[in-house]
Amino acid sequence: MRKSEVLAEESIVCLQKALIHLREIWELIGIPEEQRLQRTEVVKKHIKDLLDRMIAEEESLRERLLKSISICQKELSTLCSELQVKPFQEEKETTVLQLEKDLRTQVELMRKQKKERKQELKLLQEEDQELCEILCMPPYAVDITSVPTLEELNLFRQRVATLKETKESRHEQFVSIKRQIILCMEELEHTPDTSFEKDVVCEDESAFCLSLENIATLQKLLQQLEVKKSKNEAECEGLRTQIQELWDRLQIPEEEREPVAAIMTGSKAKVRNALQLELDRLEELKMQNIKQVIETIRVELARFWDQCFYSQEQRQAFAPYYSEDYTENLLHLHDTEIIRLRNYYEVHKELFEGVQKWEENWKLFLEFERKASDPSRFTNRGGNLLKEEKERAKLQKTLPKLEEELKARIEKWEQEQSTAFVVNGQKFMEYVTEQWELHRLEKERVRQERQLKNKKQTETEMLYGTTPRTPSKRPGVTPNKPGKVRKMNTTTMSSVTPNSSIRPVFGGTMYRSPVSRLPPSGSKSIVTSMCSGKKTPRAARLRANKENMELNGSILSGGYTGSTPLQHNCSIKSVASTYSEFSRELSKASRSDAASRILNSTNIQS
């Protein structure tokens, strides 16, 4: 049994006891029966009225609860629809009071969510409006009357975050461009004259609209200012270059240049004006010293001709170079030619530097070749001979490699330019091949001269005999008398020094050289410098120096000697175009030289 039922039964018992107690009191008092009935009716009426009021109150409470449930259900349904959430599921077997409480709690919760979403939407709208005004963009389209969904709020948040990043990026870009614009304006001494330029350089950066159009206009303005600045810098640099050239041509002393040194930097208007004034002064001075200026330009022209490897025909093609009529027109022609040559050198600079490097290595190679054929190099005591041999071996590898690299670069350049690359009036590879051929011919000439000299010396020694080239160990001993011949075995050699040209080659018997015969009287010998067979050390040195002088006359690049005329029309196919072929030619020549010496020695012995 429920507690409420127990309490109801107890209430009934209480009421019965109260009525019984009232009757007992009424009986003791002696109240008549009619009055007892009246009094009982009054008690009944009071109790009934009390119960009726209580029942009415509870009925009213039930009605209010049911009405509240109905209202909450309707509102909850609306809120679920606005918030786009699932409808509220009522629990089964619940009382009216609990249901009303649950519904009311859920309604309050959803009201709170609706309020929070509306507030967030309002804040996002305000931020979006502010950012859009700064960035000059349309605001985000959203219905402020409806409750935004979670997805809509998330998209709105992302948009606002993107707008903030865009604002920061454009602001940084604006600040950077503004700083550069201000620097350019200061350099150009330019004052803002348009409303846009004034808005740019104003102090309030937040008031500037960071639209894409304004950023593009900013960049355009900066480009215009930079173009003006670059133009001024180029103009000032050109003025400085002209001033420097005129200083050098006119040989202006340093004390006169120092006052202008302060304006040799910068590109402001006052600097440009000062440079122009100095240039005008130098131009007037140039016209007064036109001859000196032209001669200075000619020196520079000659230098560029050398750097560009101009041939004599190419140099003579510029006739004004040789004119002595020093006029303004002649000066103009020289200026035009020097500008053309500078541009020509700059275009071909890499190739010319490569050719210059080859020329330097070629001259060094010829120097090593000359030293290699110099007998005096063996008297070296400082270790330079080993060092020279190492450098010579290194150079023998470097020259062919450099020639191949230059050949590839020149061929590529000729294909691109559709013209031939000329050095000293001819194609470079033909020029290189000609230098190798001239060097080979010079080596052959020197070898032939050496063979001819050895042959003449051999003939002289065979005719007049030989004498020791080394001094006697005992200076006090008198020389042998003419006519007295020292006896010797058939296997010995008479007074032949190690430097004598008569030597055993095949291992046979060595015979002594014939000596000069005495005159018939036998009293005195006729002694001459040519027939005695004696050779003084001075004569030997003179002959060695003569050989060195002949070797020193080896042909450098583009040169030739009187004994070997330059053949420009020689066939290229007959020329050793590489260093390896040149080495093979030298080895063949050396072997043929050795064979000829052997044959000569054999003939002498026979």
Side-chain angles (χ1 to χ4, degrees), residues 244-342:
Q244 190 66 42
E245 290 179 357
L246 289 175
W247 277 351
D248 296 337
R249 290 178 181 177
L250 298 172
Q251 298 180 359
I252 303 296
E254 289 295 333
E255 55 269 14
E256 293 186 18
R257 301 185 187 187
E258 290 179 358
V260 192
I263 60 172
M264 295 304 284
T265 56
S267 61
K268 292 184 178 181
K270 59 181 181 181
V271 174
R272 187 171 65 255
N273 295 334
L275 290 173
Q276 188 63 49
L277 290 175
E278 177 65 12
L279 181 61
D280 294 340
R281 184 185 73 84
L282 293 174
E283 287 288 344
E284 294 179 1
L285 192 60
K286 180 183 74 172
M287 298 309 299
Q288 297 172 5
N289 300 271
I290 191 169
K291 180 179 179 180
Q292 178 185 350
V293 173
I294 291 176
E295 290 177 351
T296 306
I297 296 176
R298 286 176 177 174
V299 173
E300 190 174 359
L301 274 175
R303 179 171 59 84
F304 273 109
W305 283 344
D306 293 338
Q307 289 179 348
C308 297
F309 300 95
Y310 264 37
S311 64
Q312 192 63 29
E313 291 78 7
Q314 288 175 303
R315 301 184 186 208
Q316 291 176 354
F318 183 62
Y321 183 84
Y322 307 96
S323 175
E324 295 183 359
D325 185 14
Y326 299 100
T327 61
E328 186 176 354
N329 185 33
L330 185 66
L331 177 61
H332 176 71
L333 293 175
H334 279 72
D335 284 333
T336 305
E337 180 66 13
I338 197 67
I339 291 172
R340 186 190 68 80
L341 266 178
R342 283 174 184 164

Side-chain angles (χ1 to χ4, degrees), residues 171-188:
H171 185 265
E172 291 178 1
Q173 191 176 4
F174 164 71
V175 172
S176 176
I177 297 175
K178 174 184 176 181
R179 187 182 301 111
Q180 297 178 50
I181 287 175
I182 293 175
L183 292 176
C184 286
M185 287 183 175
E186 291 177 355
E187 183 69 21
L188 296 172

Side-chain angles (χ1 to χ4, degrees), residues 362 365 395-397 399-401 403-404 436 440 575-588 591:
W362 176 252
F365 169 75
L395 195 60
Q396 288 175 351
K397 298 179 181 179
L399 265 177
K401 186 183 296 184
E403 290 173 6
E404 291 298 325
W436 281 108
R440 188 187 69 79
V575 173
S577 60
T578 62
Y579 185 81
S580 59
E581 295 177 5
F582 176 71
S583 300
R584 288 197 295 270
E585 291 292 333
L586 286 181
S587 63
K588 289 178 182 178
R591 286 197 296 270

Side-chain angles (χ1 to χ4, degrees), residues 2-3 49 62 121 145 217 285 393 520 526:
R2 297 179 179 177
K3 291 183 179 181
D49 289 341
R62 184 173 68 85
L121 178 63
T145 58
T217 308
L285 192 60
I526 302 172

Side-chain angles (χ1 to χ4, degrees), residues 451-461:
Q451 288 179 355
L452 182 60
K453 184 189 294 184
N454 292 336
K455 183 178 179 181
K456 290 181 179 179
Q457 181 180 354
T458 303
E459 292 175 354
T460 303
E461 291 176 350

